[in-house]
DNA sequence: TCCGTCCAGGGAACCGGTTGCCATGCTGTT
DNA sequence: AACAGCATGGCAACCGGTTCCCTGGACGGA
């Protein structure tokens, strides 16, 4: 077994050329593979390459115009299961299409987001995918529109994935999934079981994903001629801890409800534990539903009724659509459907609770 | 609100120079910030930069030696919660230390792993972090040793994170956590409750993480003078589906056990559902324990007794240690401790089951 | 007024590759 | 034997930056 001597610094194409007794161009051509090179020369070059354990500098190739393209993925926190699944879809599709994949977590900080997008522009990323809901303010639209223009003028492309669209004219690809529709169907299902007081464990009040789901909740009520009690709308993070805390508080405050709809499965998980801790059964005493259909949802007890979102597909679509986009072509705006997965956590309200 | 005219192609430093009426060197110096430039010139340059929405090409800077360093993170599947937490730690620490973060999923394919490492070497990544257990074969050691040498000779560094160490002498940083010790303590806890027939839902038989946990399971038995029934050792993937399937099979085969130890919390989750489906209560009829302490573990019902692994810390440590490493310094090998988190899923065996 | 100094900024080499263009030498044909 | 033609490989320009080195002009002091 031969081990290369650890020559402290990487070798260049010229080192290889010198060792093979040819010019750098020849080495480049041998490695490129297309240009005709005699077998003998090719052999010597390959030998030198192996001896020196040479790999061409990807950055140098990139600036010469023959590099592996890169694609960037900016999200809030890879730890969220739905983000992770999107990331997985993005990563798979990116490598399938021969792209490298950079990921950045913003931790929810807008400044980080801006910095990262600027960096990705400097990296000449083929596309930048921004993932996850956000506050849909004029400032957001303005800032993001600017990003889109910057990237577009650099030959790159901004993709908004599960994020509110911009004003028409912004050079941006938008891939959304139907938060409002999914929540509407889910809450309609809950109401159809006979529930009339449904607690909603929502997200931050400025967050589009949370807001969309909340709108669905309200719309489903309206469609039945109901007006939900505002006291039943609670707000927190999209974490199991927030769900746990909110649910505890709701029980402590003695809120009157027969069902709970959580804005995400994680929130539902925390809420479920709080219900259990309070000695309540689900769906006997209280019904519970989530949103996202993460793999774990089946393993809650009872198995969680929730809304399935094709997160991985979302990610794959985001990169495919972005990379297929040709400048000048119309901007795509895709809206993926969701569907309710009925499991065991929603049932009719207990007889004594009916009104 | 001014919108830049979409000039189809990115502008170069020379474009900026021309627009500002100075030379490229001056632009570079203005942007660099240190070299003395007159206020008037600086103003003109900045103006041109803004007008053209110019960002210096990061790849060109990199090859000139002043780029943002990069760091690569190679894992099997970002979708696994423990991987996601490691990734989070890596990403945070990397950006904290001013590094960009590339991530690649291998989908468990060794060829992909090799390809990716080669690419990262071409990218001149400051470090390559390989994450997650693997088959610890001579071929693995040989191949990984070669990777380590290649990277080292290119001035980069290989980090193995939760992965078996190589032969001494390989230029590699190893950060492990104690699979065997954690499993040992966990199983000892289960045995101390009085269980004597403990079903082990393990991972693939060639996977070091799975194997370490299995060794802990065996060692805990031996320490009590017990020899576990080989029929109680089952093997599958680290997914909730595998756990579900394995548990169903075990019940169908009428295996004799009073407790179940799953190799991961995901597996435990699937197993729990299978137990519930069979009408068994936990821990009344059967005790159940997991491994990893993912956030969700608290929300299973009953809350899962498991082993806490500091995954995020693991990730942070991996990048910090790798980047602090100076060539020639001794190779670090860190072993992080784990601890059992006692919750509600393990209890004494039912009286009629005792023997 | 003349000369030395200092400072802003330009020219050119360099980072590590790719590739268009051209020179060389060998082969094949008449 | 002479010449056309092709296979082969070197030179140099270029990709988009940085930085060393040097020049020209303004300024201050003698």
């Amino acid at each position: 077994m031969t081990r290369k001597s650890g020559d402290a610094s990487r070798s260049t194409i010229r080192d290889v050329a010198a060792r093979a007794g040819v010019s750098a161009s020849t080495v480049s051509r041998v490695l490129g593979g297309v240009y005709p090179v005699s077998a003998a020369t090719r052999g010597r070059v390959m030998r030198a390459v192996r001896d020196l354990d040479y790999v061409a500098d990807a950055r140098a190739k990139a600036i010469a115009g023959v590099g592996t393209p890169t694609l960037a993925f900016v999200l809030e926190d890879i730890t969220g299961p739905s983000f992770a699944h999107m990331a997985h879809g993005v990563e798979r599709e990116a490598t399938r299409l021969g792209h490298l994949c950079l990921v950045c977590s913003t931790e929810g900080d807008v400044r980080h987001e801006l910095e990262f997008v600027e960096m990705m522009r400097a990296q000449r990323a083929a596309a930048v995918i921004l993932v996850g809901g956000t506050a849909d303010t004029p400032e957001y639209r303005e800032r993001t529109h600017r990003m889109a223009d910057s990237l577009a003028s650099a030959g790159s492309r901004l993709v908004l994935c599960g994020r509110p669209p911009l004003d028409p004219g912004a050079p941006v690809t938008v891939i959304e999934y139907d938060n409002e529709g999914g929540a509407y169907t889910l809450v309609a299902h809950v109401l159809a079981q006979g529930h009339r007081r449904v607690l909603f464990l929502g997200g931050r009040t400025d967050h589009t994903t949370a807001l969309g789901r909340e709108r669905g909740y309200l719309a489903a009520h309206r469609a039945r001629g109901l007006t939900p009690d505002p006291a039943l709308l609670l707000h927190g993070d999209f974490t199991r801890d927030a769900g746990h805390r909110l649910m505890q508080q709701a029980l402590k405050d003695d809120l009157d409800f027969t069902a709970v709809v959580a804005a995400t499965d994680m929130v539902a998980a925390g809420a479920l534990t709080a219900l259990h801790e309070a000695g309540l059964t689900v769906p006997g005493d209280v019904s519970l539903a989530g949103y996202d259909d993460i793999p774990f949802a089946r393993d809650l007890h009872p198995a969680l009724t929730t809304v399935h979102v094709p997160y991985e597909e979302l990610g794959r679509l985001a990169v495919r659509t972005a990379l297929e986009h040709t400048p000048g072509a119309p901007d795509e705006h895709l809206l993926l459907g969701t569907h309710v997965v009925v499991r065991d956590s929603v049932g009719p309200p207990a007889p004594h609770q009916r009104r």
Side-chain angles (χ1 to χ4, degrees), chain A:
Chain A
M1 174 182 96
T2 64
R3 194 74 72 195
K4 287 85 201 168
S5 64
D7 51 341
S9 85
R10 35 197 145 288
S11 42
T12 75
I13 199 171
R14 282 166 254 273
D15 300 333
V16 176
R19 188 172 239 269
V22 297
S23 76
S25 357
T26 302
V27 175
S28 176
R29 291 200 259 252
V30 168
L31 262 28
V34 282
Y35 195 91
V37 176
S38 74
T41 310
R42 144 164 289 119
R44 289 213 315 285
V45 169
M46 291 312 278
R47 181 72 213 279
V49 165
R50 240 185 315 274
D51 286 351
L52 265 45
D53 201 15
Y54 168 79
V55 199
D57 188 315
R59 290 100 39 100
K61 297 186 79 144
I63 125 176
V66 288
T68 309
T70 300
L71 177 155
F73 187 62
V74 181
L75 41 58
E76 211 169 297
D77 178 3
I78 191 75
T79 279
S82 40
F83 285 151
H85 279 90
M86 268 198 249
H88 193 230
V90 166
E91 215 277 335
R92 282 186 71 123
E93 193 69 10
T95 68
R96 199 178 71 78
L97 265 34
H99 284 240
L100 240 40
C101 194
L102 278 159
V103 9
C104 323
S105 298
T106 62
E107 312 287 334
D109 188 331
V110 168
R111 286 196 314 274
H112 282 163
E113 186 177 305
L114 278 162
E115 262 173 46
F116 279 137
V117 171
E118 199 65 4
M119 277 189 154
M120 294 313 109
R121 198 154 73 90
Q123 294 288 337
R124 304 298 189 247
V128 177
I129 304 179
L130 247 47
V131 157
T134 185
D136 187 7
T137 60
E139 190 270 333
Y140 156 77
R141 290 175 180 248
E142 171 58 22
R143 159 170 54 89
T144 312
H145 199 148
R146 256 200 310 271
M147 281 183 196
D149 282 328
S150 276
L151 288 167
S153 79
S156 176
R157 179 107 188 134
L158 183 65
V159 181
L160 302 179
C161 200
R163 193 167 262 234
L166 306 179
D167 304 324
V172 80
T173 298
V174 179
I175 316 231
E176 288 185 286
Y177 55 96
D178 192 2
N179 283 308
E180 180 167 345
Y184 179 96
T185 315
L186 178 69
V187 173
H189 168 69
V190 171
L191 294 176
Q193 298 285 313
H195 295 276
R196 285 304 171 264
R197 297 192 57 83
V198 181
L199 181 66
F200 185 74
L201 265 29
R204 298 194 302 267
T205 50
D206 60 350
H207 195 272
T208 49
T209 305
L211 240 43
R213 295 176 188 183
E214 193 166 322
R215 270 199 306 277
Y217 166 91
L218 296 173
H221 279 80
R222 269 200 307 277
R224 282 205 167 238
L226 303 169
T227 45
D229 183 350
L232 294 181
L233 284 167
L234 268 34
H235 299 279
D237 281 340
F238 277 175
T239 61
R240 64 86 48 204
D241 285 351
H244 190 249
R245 192 171 32 71
L246 248 38
M247 195 70 239
Q248 278 183 327
Q249 190 63 40
L251 292 169
K252 197 176 136 216
D253 293 350
D254 214 13
L255 253 40
D256 178 23
F257 58 89
T258 64
V260 180
V261 170
T264 74
D265 287 353
M266 287 299 271
V267 172
L272 179 61
T273 298
L275 288 169
H276 281 152
E277 286 164 357
L280 263 24
T281 65
V282 177
D285 295 321
V286 177
S287 285
L288 174 67
Y291 206 118
D292 281 347
D293 191 27
I294 61 181
F296 240 100
R298 268 171 301 176
D299 297 316
L300 290 175
H301 191 66
L304 192 67
T305 291
T306 185
V307 178
H308 180 80
V309 181
Y311 281 115
E312 192 160 334
E313 178 66 13
L314 214 60
R316 276 204 300 270
L317 221 50
V319 347
R320 197 168 335 140
T321 316
L323 296 184
E324 278 171 3
H325 178 89
T326 48
D331 301 315
E332 302 90 349
H333 184 162
L334 273 51
L335 186 60
L336 266 66
T338 56
H339 61 265
V340 172
V341 182
V342 177
R343 297 206 182 94
D344 311 325
S345 64
V346 173
H352 67 275
Q353 294 175 324
R354 262 183 221 138
R355 40 182 75 203

